Amino acid sequence: MSAAAAIGLSQSACQPSRPNDRFTVASAGRITSLDPAQASTFGAQQVISALGDTLYTRSVGGDLLPSLAAGLPEISDDGLTVTIPLREDVLFHDGTPFNAEAMAFSLRRFLAIGTLSYVVGDRIKAVETPSVYELRLRLNRPSSSLENLLTSTNLTPVSPTAYRDYQDRFLNDNFVGTGPYRLASFQAVQQRLEPFDRYWGQAPSNPGLNLIYLSNSTALFGAIRSGEVDVLISDSIDEDQRLALNRLAEKGRLRVGEGPALVIGYITLLSNSGPLKNPVLRQALAYSLDRPLISQRVSHGLRPPLLSLVPPGLPGGDVDPWPRHDAAQARNLFLKAGYCNGKVFTLPFTYRTNVPADRLMALTWQAQIQRDLSDCLALKLDGVESTTVYRQLGEGAFQAVMLDWRGSYPDPAAYLTPLLSCSEANGSICERGEAAISGSFWTAPGLEDTLLRSDRSRGAARLRDLDQVETMAAEGAAYIPVWLVTPRAWSLPELATPEFDGNGRLKLARLQEAS
């Protein structure tokens, strides 16, 4: 609770102590960068969403809503030109005006130094400013996901004046945007947000926020139960504690808000070397996974089984191309691969030690394999801290590893492209591209073309293309979807129920006392 102590919270207090009625919001981890061109964690994007605005937002129902844009984007008949009218009443936190040049500065900066290259990819050819409050994007190809892309936190505009010396490098410990809050202070484990009194939109419903980050689930659970924090938002809390918080909410001792389920949990299999280069062996593993059992044992059913890389709430996510648990079929495939009957395949399986659900998932799958396929398969578990996993993933360090993914914007492309895109392939091996960075190194002939086509097509044609992409991915079995995660936030009963936006982020500006 050192972070809480740093802002004057009393661990023994029964009720939160809030100077000037400020709310304290707790979550897991730490923030290493507030630069939209680099921010990759959900925590960082959550903070940026309170300090800045995007051109558009998505409602929980999926509607595209103008934010900094003054209207919906106008797309040319050939799909290669996108014109966006901009609001004329917006200021950055440093008092400088937001206009087309400022938006173009931010987009060009992201295209030049952004670390998440898959967010935009090769879609944008040029950024133009035909008038003071009109932005024009020239595209290399039509893109059906572009409208959703324009809701991405990574494309949040920043002040050209404040970032004049940071056009080609990151500004990690500050942020000057247009949002409802301004950044009053920054540390990796604590930020203070103050309302921006010249904000163009609806003012925050609270007088300010203290954002703190605690190191483990027990500290988070204790902080909200004791009233030392007002709001808890975390996907990394222990599942038993998550269930306990939900039961407290049922009794009226807490309030709980839920957002759209946009986080997928999945296993990545190394497919370019070793035993798992054999697709039959990967398919056997896909059949061996008893998702309903794992969901129930790990999360009490709060993480429903998933048979797709695209969340069900998005286009193309209502298909189930991955196979359900079938121990008999798994055994047949293991036999085909040369295992069983005295020859057991031992699979090193890595889980992230700082994600409680990962370890439980690994232990449950291990026990289930012992029950169903002990003469064919054995799991050798290895726990590694998540930052080490992410750093070594693209080096091919893990034969099998449990991961999760939240798309940077609510569109199938934000899930399929980061896992499947490949710019340089040798047969079924991806030598360069997102599939290599993601640790599978897998591709298939025709997959990249189909993936690109799915981002050009619309309506029923796009659904067919997306289905074909996922069918190919399921046959390759370099990824195995496991479960779907719904974001939740718990608040003290004195506060109104927390609300989420269509991108799965908590609406920090709408936190307020209950009426």
Side-chain angles (χ1 to χ4, degrees), residues 262-475:
L262 296 174
V263 180
I264 65 169
Y266 64 96
I267 299 167
T268 294
L269 301 177
L270 184 66
S271 65
N272 66 336
S273 63
L276 292 180
K277 190 174 182 179
N278 183 352
V280 175
L281 197 54
R282 300 196 303 268
Q283 292 165 3
L285 292 173
Y287 276 101
S288 77
L289 192 70
D290 190 340
R291 293 176 183 83
L293 174 68
I294 290 172
S295 171
Q296 190 60 41
R297 293 281 178 86
V298 174
S299 71
H300 309 281
L302 294 176
R303 296 174 181 244
L306 183 66
L307 295 168
S308 168
L309 292 177
V310 178
L314 300 180
D318 57 350
V319 297
D320 295 334
W322 266 262
R324 288 174 168 78
H325 173 241
D326 188 332
Q329 180 62 11
R331 183 181 300 277
N332 290 336
L333 291 169
F334 279 120
L335 286 167
K336 185 177 179 180
Y339 295 94
C340 306
N341 297 328
K343 185 179 181 181
V344 176
F345 172 52
T346 300
L347 174 67
F349 184 54
T350 302
Y351 63 89
R352 295 166 297 173
T353 55
N354 57 316
V355 181
D358 276 20
R359 179 175 178 273
L360 291 175
M361 181 273 166
L363 290 170
T364 304
W365 191 24
Q366 184 183 52
Q368 180 237 307
I369 291 298
Q370 181 66 26
R371 180 197 69 185
D372 295 340
L373 296 161
S374 60
D375 61 328
C376 302
L377 174 64
L379 298 187
K380 181 181 178 181
L381 304 187
D382 182 29
V384 179
E385 204 274 333
S386 62
T387 55
T388 302
V389 170
Y390 304 146
R391 185 174 64 252
Q392 298 181 352
L393 196 59
E395 301 171 2
F398 309 107
Q399 286 197 45
V401 57
M402 181 67 188
L403 298 166
D404 56 41
W405 182 256
R406 182 194 305 264
S408 60
Y409 54 97
D411 190 273
Y415 293 82
L416 299 177
T417 300
L419 298 180
L420 301 176
S421 179
C422 183
S423 57
E424 187 176 322
N426 181 8
S428 62
I429 296 175
C430 179
E431 298 181 340
R432 184 182 300 274
E434 300 304 325
I437 295 172
S438 67
S440 75
F441 296 87
W442 174 83
T443 189
L447 176 63
E448 183 68 13
D449 289 340
T450 307
L451 187 61
L452 290 172
R453 188 172 68 243
S454 74
D455 193 43
R456 291 194 299 266
S457 55
R458 292 181 178 272
R462 189 186 193 204
L463 293 178
R464 288 193 297 270
D465 291 336
L466 291 170
D467 182 52
Q468 185 176 352
V469 168
E470 290 224 72
T471 298
M472 296 172 72
E475 291 173 351

Side-chain angles (χ1 to χ4, degrees), residues 47-235:
V47 180
I48 292 173
S49 71
L51 298 171
D53 301 298
T54 50
L55 287 170
Y56 298 93
T57 62
R58 277 287 182 190
S59 70
V60 174
D63 296 324
L64 187 69
L65 306 175
S67 183
L68 291 178
L72 295 176
E74 300 173 10
I75 303 175
S76 62
D77 291 341
D78 62 5
L80 297 177
T81 302
V82 181
T83 303
I84 302 170
L86 303 178
R87 297 186 64 96
E88 302 180 16
D89 57 349
V90 180
L91 295 176
F92 286 103
H93 298 158
D94 60 2
T96 58
F98 166 79
N99 52 33
E101 286 294 341
M103 190 70 229
F105 169 88
S106 300
L107 290 176
R108 290 166 183 155
R109 181 175 181 269
F110 180 86
L111 293 173
I113 68 172
T115 56
L116 307 181
S117 58
Y118 61 83
V119 173
V120 175
D122 63 348
R123 279 176 284 192
I124 297 180
K125 179 180 182 181
V127 181
E128 301 172 355
T129 56
S131 65
V132 177
Y133 292 103
E134 186 176 71
L135 183 75
R136 182 168 295 155
L137 305 179
R138 302 287 188 183
L139 307 183
N140 285 309
R141 55 180 173 82
S143 174
S144 50
S145 65
L146 183 73
E147 294 175 357
N148 286 326
L149 168 64
L150 297 177
T151 72
S152 172
T153 308
N154 295 107
L155 303 186
T156 300
V158 294
S159 164
T161 301
Y163 287 72
R164 180 184 294 113
D165 296 332
Y166 293 89
Q167 296 185 49
D168 58 357
R169 59 193 178 106
F170 301 119
L171 179 56
N172 295 322
D173 59 358
N174 196 13
F175 187 91
V176 182
T178 64
Y181 296 98
R182 62 178 183 83
L183 184 65
S185 67
F186 174 84
Q187 297 177 30
V189 294
Q190 174 188 334
Q191 298 92 48
R192 185 160 56 90
L193 277 53
E194 301 284 358
F196 179 42
D197 57 9
R198 303 177 72 183
Y199 184 56
W200 61 271
Q202 182 182 357
S205 302
N206 55 72
L209 300 171
N210 293 322
L211 308 181
I212 66 171
Y213 304 86
L214 305 182
S215 60
N216 60 69
S217 180
T218 300
L220 290 166
F221 180 71
I224 189 67
R225 282 207 63 182
S226 67
E228 295 180 53
V229 302
D230 300 289
V231 179
L232 168 62
I233 173 172
S234 178
D235 292 337

